[in-house]
Amino acid sequence: MAKSTLLGINVDEEFIHCMAVRLGCEVGSWPTKYLGMPLGGNPQKLDFWKPVVAKVTKRLDRWKEPSSQGVEDLHFSNRCCLLFLLTICQFLKLLAV
């Protein structure tokens, strides 16, 4: 099984298949996932964001636990990024209600 996947946008299916064979990878289809996050869906729909919010919230909850190791090791920029992501998750949860 190949690690790489070739996807095409406005490209003939036969060309994608031919290039995938030459490059030694699989032919993918839309929508797909990248690093566990959905790609190719409609970002204007709330259902598109549900898995993103769930994944980020799960990771943030782990870092918010008082017994969690490694929180002290986070750099200031990483803490700001986490705070920003947490704020976005909370906002998207309010929109879903």
Side-chain angles (χ1 to χ4, degrees), residues 20-86:
V21 170
R22 283 184 173 200
L23 296 171
C25 60
E26 296 178 351
V27 176
S29 62
W30 297 99
T32 189
K33 289 188 175 189
Y34 178 71
L35 298 176
M37 300 294 185
L39 290 178
N42 186 352
Q44 294 179 347
K45 292 186 176 185
L46 286 178
D47 289 340
F48 174 83
W49 293 104
K50 285 183 181 179
V52 176
V53 170
K55 189 168 191 165
V56 171
T57 302
K58 182 179 175 183
R59 289 187 179 185
L60 290 175
D61 287 344
R62 201 174 48 202
W63 286 323
K64 288 192 307 184
E65 294 174 4
S67 62
S68 175
Q69 297 295 322
V71 174
E72 298 80 20
D73 297 336
L74 289 177
H75 293 285
F76 179 73
S77 60
N78 290 344
R79 289 178 189 224
C80 291
C81 183
L82 290 175
L83 181 61
F84 176 72
L85 289 174
L86 183 61

